[in-house]
Structures are given as structure tokens and as C-alpha cells.
């Protein structure tokens, strides 16, 4: 899961790091035209992907099996934590950080530096989560540490009144957030029988998608009434809630 996540992060880094240059040279509309062209290229490449001729023998998923998977306690816990994590990242880096960046006086040409400060530690953390952190601390303690750091660095974003401080906070936040995702990907399906893991992963992805929408939406409502700092405080508190839940669930598991 860490290796797969690393490839995803590299793609995000490549796309986002050149966005500032594109905006400066050709304007904001160029980003969407280039994104559309890349999407078309993806469709063309997908035409050359073929299933094995002999096919893949797999039993169709029955409704009872789907319900039993959706009731799996560990899957539900990790999915809820993932909702909170995706709420944080889609409200911060993929949400209101560009707006906050302009608010404190950065220019469109600084977008790439903001992206680099977040995405490079983001990519490094992907490789370290499973190979270094988990063997030392264990899964639940690693999750608690990562969420604790994420909540702290998210809560202090409104205190970053210069670009240098924003870069530093972004770096630590990017590192902390990326520790979470490969770890949760693995934990979500570890208690599921092998033949049902694809279904469990579908359930997991469907649930964490709630955070992609709900986090930025609720943060945007708060921003409208109380200013842009309110959204960062809101998702920072979500990180605190996640940390407390992990502490409780880990203690119950030990008992």
C-alpha cells in the first residue's frame, strides 16, 4: 500500500508543481485545458489494457456477504478515521490553502513552492510509514501519532503570516498526513478474508469519499461566516477527535 501511495503522490507532485508556471505563462484557464487533454490521454491509454484471456475466476458478491463486510468493526472504525483524514487534506492542501496563500500576500507564481513544501515530505512519509514507523510503534500508536501531529499543524495554519512559516507548516503537515493513508489502507482490509478484500476496499473508498465532500463543504460554510481561519480550526479539531478515538479503540483492543 505504501508503494502504491508513493506513485500516486509522485503524480500529484508532478501535476501540482508545474501549475504555478502554467498560470504565470498562460493564465488560469490553461490548467483546465491541460487537465482535460491529460484525461483524454488516459482514456486512450486505457484502451490498451486487456483482461487475461482465461479470465479471472471470482464468485459474485452476494448481498449477505456485502452486509457482513459493511458490519466489520475494524473496517468501520478505519473508514470513519479516513473520513476525518480526507476532510482535513481536502480542506487544507486541496481546498483552502491556495486562498489562504493569496490572503497573506503570496503570488500565483508561489503556488509551486507551496506544493513542493507539502508534497515532497508527503512522498517521503509514504515510504517510511510501513517500513519504519509501524515496526517501531505498531499500527494504532502510529495512527495516533500521525493524527496528533496533523491536528497540531492544521490548527496553527492561521498563525502562519509569512510564506516561510507557511512552507514549514505545510511540510510538517504533508508528512504527518501521508503517514495516515497507506496505514489506513492496509488496516481497513486486514481483518477481511482474502477473497472479499476487493469488496471491502470498495466499501472503504465509498465511505472515505464522504470526507472529500463534507470536510470542504462544512469548512466553506464556516469560512463564509467567520473567516478563512475557521475552516482550518474546524478540521484541526477533527484531527483531535480522531486522536481521542484511536486512544479509546486501542485500549479496548488491548483489553
Amino acid at each position: 500500500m505504501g508503494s502504491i501511495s508513493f506513485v500516486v503522490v509522485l503524480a500529484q507532485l508532478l501535476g501540482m508543481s508545474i501549475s504555478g508556471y502554467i498560470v504565470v505563462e498562460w493564465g488560469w484557464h490553461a490548467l483546465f485545458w491541460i487537465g482535460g487533454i491529460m484525461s483524454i490521454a488516459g482514456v486512450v491509454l486505457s484502451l490498451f489494457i486487456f483482461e487475461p484471456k482465461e479470465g479471472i475466476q471470482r464468485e459474485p458478491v452476494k448481498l449477505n456477504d456485502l452486509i457482513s463486510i459493511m458490519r466489520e468493526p475494524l473496517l468501520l472504525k478505519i473508514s470513519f478515521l479516513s473520513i476525518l483524514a480526507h476532510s482535513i487534506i481536502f480542506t487544507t492542501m486541496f481546498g483552502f490553502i491556495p486562498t489562504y496563500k493569496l490572503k497573506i500576500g503570496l503570488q500565483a507564481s508561489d503556488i509551486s513552492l507551496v506544493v513542493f513544501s507539502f508534497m515532497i515530505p508527503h512522498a517521503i512519509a509514504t515510504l517510511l510509514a510501513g517500513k519504519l514507523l509501524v515496526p517501531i510503534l505498531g499500527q494504532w500508536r502510529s495512527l495516533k501519532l500521525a493524527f496528533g501531529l496533523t491536528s497540531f499543524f492544521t490548527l496553527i495554519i492561521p498563525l502562519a503570516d509569512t510564506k516561510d512559516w507557511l512552507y514549514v507548516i505545510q511540510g510538517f503537515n504533508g508528512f504527518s498526513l501521508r503517514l495516515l493513508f497507506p496505514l489506513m489502507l492496509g488496516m481497513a482490509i486486514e481483518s477481511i478474508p482474502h477473497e472479499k478484500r476487493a469488496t471491502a476496499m470498495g466499501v472503504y473508498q465509498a465511505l472515505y469519499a464522504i470526507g472529500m465532500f463534507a470536510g470542504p463543504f462544512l469548512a466553506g460554510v464556516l469560512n463564509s461566516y467567520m473567516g478563512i481561519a475557521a475552516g482550518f480550526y474546524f478540521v484541526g479539531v477533527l484531527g483531535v477527535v480522531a486522536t481521542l478515538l484511536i486512544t479509546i479503540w486501542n485500549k479496548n483492543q488491548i483489553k
Side-chain angles (χ1 to χ4, degrees), residues 136-152:
I136 295 175
L137 298 179
Q139 292 178 325
W140 286 101
R141 288 181 179 177
S142 298
L143 272 182
K144 182 167 67 173
L145 174 63
F147 262 116
L149 291 173
T150 295
S151 61
F152 173 75

Side-chain angles (χ1 to χ4, degrees), residues 100-119:
Y100 184 75
K101 170 187 68 65
L102 298 175
K103 179 178 179 291
I104 64 175
L106 276 71
Q107 305 300 316
S109 56
D110 295 315
I111 290 177
S112 295
L113 292 177
V114 175
V115 171
F116 276 120
S117 67
F118 182 91
M119 297 300 292

Side-chain angles (χ1 to χ4, degrees), residues 2-235:
S3 299
I4 293 172
S5 297
F6 181 70
V7 174
V8 172
V9 172
L10 282 181
Q12 293 172 339
L13 175 61
L14 177 63
M16 297 176 68
S17 61
I18 63 174
S19 59
Y21 174 80
I22 293 173
V23 169
V24 172
E25 293 295 322
W26 297 301
W28 291 97
H29 289 179
L31 291 176
F32 300 100
W33 284 108
I34 293 174
I37 292 171
M38 295 298 291
S39 299
I40 294 172
V43 172
V44 174
L45 290 174
S46 71
L47 299 177
F48 298 93
I49 299 175
F50 301 98
E51 295 285 350
K53 291 182 179 180
E54 63 275 12
I56 300 175
Q57 300 300 320
R58 187 180 293 126
E59 287 290 329
V61 178
K62 298 179 181 178
L63 181 59
N64 289 338
D65 292 335
L66 179 60
I67 293 174
S68 66
I69 291 173
M70 294 177 65
R71 290 177 176 175
E72 178 63 33
L74 181 59
L75 174 60
L76 292 176
K77 290 176 182 178
I78 298 301
S79 296
F80 184 72
L81 293 176
S82 192
I83 289 172
L84 300 181
H86 281 83
S87 295
I88 295 171
I89 194 171
F90 275 81
T91 298
T92 54
M93 185 59 206
F94 300 146
F96 296 103
I97 284 294
T99 303
Y100 184 75
K101 170 187 68 65
L102 298 175
K103 179 178 179 291
I104 64 175
L106 276 71
Q107 305 300 316
S109 56
D110 295 315
I111 290 177
S112 295
L113 292 177
V114 175
V115 171
F116 276 120
S117 67
F118 182 91
M119 297 300 292
I120 291 178
H122 205 55
I124 294 173
T126 300
L127 298 177
L128 296 180
K131 297 180 180 179
L132 183 62
L133 190 64
V134 174
I136 295 175
L137 298 179
Q139 292 178 325
W140 286 101
R141 288 181 179 177
S142 298
L143 272 182
K144 182 167 67 173
L145 174 63
F147 262 116
L149 291 173
T150 295
S151 61
F152 173 75
F153 290 114
T154 301
L155 287 168
I156 65 173
I157 287 175
L159 302 180
D161 54 358
T162 66
K163 64 180 181 181
D164 291 335
W165 272 116
L166 182 60
Y167 296 156
V168 171
I169 293 173
Q170 281 287 91
F172 282 111
N173 212 7
F175 184 86
S176 303
L177 274 167
R178 202 62 212 181
L179 291 174
L180 292 169
F181 296 117
L183 184 54
M184 290 189 295
L185 275 172
M187 292 178 68
I189 61 173
E190 70 175 16
S191 63
I192 306 296
H194 182 77
E195 65 275 7
K196 298 179 181 179
R197 286 186 173 181
T199 303
M201 184 57 66
V203 172
Y204 172 69
Q205 292 175 328
L207 290 175
Y208 78 57
I210 296 172
M212 295 179 178
F213 164 76
F217 175 77
L218 295 175
V221 173
L222 292 173
N223 290 347
S224 299
Y225 288 98
M226 293 181 283
I228 193 169
F232 297 130
Y233 291 139
F234 166 67
V235 291

Side-chain angles (χ1 to χ4, degrees), residues 77 137 139-141 144 244-255:
K77 290 176 182 178
L137 298 179
Q139 292 178 325
W140 286 101
R141 288 181 179 177
K144 182 167 67 173
L244 294 175
L245 287 174
I246 291 168
T247 303
I248 296 170
W249 290 338
N250 190 28
K251 287 182 179 179
N252 292 338
Q253 188 179 44
I254 293 174
K255 292 177 182 179

